């Protein structure tokens, strides 16, 4: 019996979320992830490939026969890879746009999984003068209304992705220097708090990486030695509903994948759930 079969029979699931920043360019990085960490489910953001060119066969050959993806040329794009079958696949549109920022499905055991890529928001945190920031806030507002309209305290749900917001002071390398920089402004943090409350979401990462500890998942390409300077931000998140809260057993930011040659600027996040 294979290792993954044993693990699934024990009801232990490894889930990874990763802004891959072009899945075709970094297939060898995905292979490294699979060989070293053996995840059951992988959620990608920024796949940057239209659907007809998605590397489906390559990823299936890595042990993921079940894949749901939604992409566009050069921008955005999301995907969910699974070793086991799923159902109820969806790919919702937001803000009356066709940019590909969401896919969802239902895993075995009735777990609803949502994978989001929230807009980055540009450079100026002013919705009146910066359309990209206005789009980000609108996107968050629509997500909040959507979550509020489907709250079910008994439902097992997971929401992951690149949220492009670092809400806690310990989610950025320097709170004072970044408090007026997009990803860490109070406007964005307030919106994210409302979204979290609307869906009764629990921050699974901060269950195992204490809120007073620094935790980053993104480091700028501009840093020559990102490890040494460690000027990071926690932009990638894993949220669960209360029905899954006690089932989250561990969380780890996979820094070694950020250290590969020509990496994504994001590190994968791995959570382990006893489902």
């Amino acid at each position: 019996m294979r290792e993954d079969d044993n693990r699934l029979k024990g009801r232990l699931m490894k889930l990874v979320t990763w802004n891959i920043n072009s899945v075709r360019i970094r297939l060898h990085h995905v292979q490294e992830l699979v060989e070293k960490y053996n995840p059951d489910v992988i959620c990608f953001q920024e796949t940057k490939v239209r659907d007809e060119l998605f590397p489906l066969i390559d990823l299936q050959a890595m042990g993921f026969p079940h894949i749901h993806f939604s992409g566009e040329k050069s921008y955005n794009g999301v995907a969910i890879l699974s070793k086991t079958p799923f159902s109820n696949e969806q790919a919702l549109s937001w803000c009356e746009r066709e940019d590909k920022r969401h896919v969802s499905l239902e895993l075995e055991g009735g777990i609803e999984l949502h994978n989001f890529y929230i807009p980055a928001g540009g450079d100026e945190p002013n919705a009146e003068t910066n359309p990209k920031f206005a789009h980000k806030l609108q996107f968050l507002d629509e997500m909040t209304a959507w979550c509020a309209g489907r709250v079910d305290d008994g439902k097992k749900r997971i929401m992951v992705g690149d949220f492009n917001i670092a809400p806690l002071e310990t989610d950025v390398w320097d709170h004072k220097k970044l408090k007026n920089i997009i990803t860490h402004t109070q406007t964005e943090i307030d919106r994210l708090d409302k979204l979290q409350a609307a869906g009764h979401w629990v921050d699974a990462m901060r269950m195992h990486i204490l809120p007073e500890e620094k935790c980053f998942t993104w480091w700028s390409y501009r840093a020559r030695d990102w490890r040494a300077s460690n000027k990071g931000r926690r932009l990638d998140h894993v949220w669960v509903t209360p029905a899954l809260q006690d089932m989250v057993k561990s969380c780890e930011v996979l820094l070694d994948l950020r250290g590969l040659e020509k990496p994504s600027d994001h590190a994968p996040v791995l959570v382990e759930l006893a489902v």
Side-chain angles (χ1 to χ4, degrees):
M1 183 178 287
R2 295 179 305 169
E3 180 185 348
D4 54 301
D5 290 333
N6 276 317
R7 185 170 64 241
L8 292 175
K9 283 184 177 296
R11 309 302 296 163
L12 199 60
M13 178 179 72
K14 286 185 176 181
L15 183 149
V16 167
T17 179
W18 190 7
N19 181 319
I20 190 70
N21 195 13
S22 181
V23 66
R24 289 188 295 173
I25 290 175
R26 296 189 170 86
L27 281 173
H28 57 300
H29 291 187
V30 181
Q31 186 69 55
E32 181 87 6
L33 169 74
V34 171
E35 291 177 357
K36 188 168 184 178
Y37 295 99
N38 194 22
D40 301 294
V41 179
I42 304 175
C43 297
F44 288 135
Q45 304 87 40
E46 277 204 282
T47 55
K48 294 185 175 180
V49 57
R50 58 182 186 265
D51 287 350
E52 60 269 27
L53 296 178
F54 187 86
L56 182 63
I57 295 174
D58 298 285
L59 294 170
Q60 287 176 329
M62 295 182 196
F64 297 89
H66 311 282
I67 302 179
H68 177 36
F69 54 92
S70 180
E72 60 183 286
K73 182 180 180 180
S74 302
Y75 297 98
N76 307 319
V78 281
I80 300 176
L81 288 59
S82 175
K83 289 183 175 179
T84 57
F86 49 70
S87 59
N88 299 331
E89 303 97 318
Q90 291 188 359
L92 301 180
S93 297
W94 305 81
C95 304
E96 299 182 344
R97 301 187 184 207
E98 292 303 318
D99 46 354
K100 308 303 182 180
R101 296 182 176 274
H102 169 264
V103 285
S104 67
L105 49 80
E106 188 166 305
L107 297 168
E108 290 184 337
I111 298 175
E112 191 176 287
L113 174 60
H114 293 269
N115 180 16
F116 276 95
Y117 175 48
I118 294 175
D123 297 322
E124 183 184 6
N126 187 324
E128 294 183 0
T129 58
N130 178 4
K132 291 182 178 180
F133 193 63
H135 177 214
K136 183 175 192 175
L137 299 184
Q138 182 186 356
F139 196 99
L140 289 163
D141 288 344
E142 287 192 10
M143 284 181 67
T144 300
W146 172 77
C147 284
R150 55 200 309 276
V151 169
D152 179 349
D153 289 339
K155 182 67 177 179
K156 295 177 181 178
R157 292 192 175 104
I158 304 172
M159 185 158 74
V160 306
D162 178 1
F163 292 2
N164 268 310
I165 300 174
L168 304 182
E169 291 188 13
T170 50
D171 288 336
V172 295
W173 65 276
D174 191 313
H175 166 66
K176 291 183 179 179
K177 290 183 178 180
L178 295 179
K179 65 181 181 179
N180 295 317
I181 302 297
I182 285 182
T183 69
H184 192 57
T185 67
Q186 195 60 49
T187 299
E188 294 165 279
I189 294 168
D190 289 345
R191 287 299 213 290
L192 193 68
D193 288 344
K194 290 179 180 178
L195 170 60
Q196 185 173 0
H200 299 177
W201 297 105
V202 177
D203 185 345
M205 291 182 67
R206 284 305 188 177
M207 289 175 56
H208 292 274
I209 303 171
L210 297 180
E212 57 266 26
E213 297 179 20
K214 292 279 190 180
C215 177
F216 310 143
T217 64
W218 173 92
W219 296 260
S220 173
Y221 283 132
R222 296 175 182 175
R224 291 184 178 180
D225 189 340
W226 65 276
R227 282 186 183 271
S229 61
N230 201 28
K231 293 183 177 180
R233 308 178 201 179
R234 183 173 72 115
L235 304 182
D236 305 271
H237 297 264
V238 180
W239 289 359
V240 299
T241 50
L244 279 174
Q245 181 175 356
D246 292 339
M247 301 178 188
V248 180
K249 299 304 179 183
S250 68
C251 177
E252 181 182 2
V253 180
L254 306 181
L255 299 179
D256 54 326
L257 274 296
R258 178 62 176 83
L260 296 176
E261 184 178 358
K262 296 182 179 179
S264 168
D265 46 358
H266 294 252
V269 176
L270 169 65
V271 293
E272 201 166 44
L273 301 100
V275 297

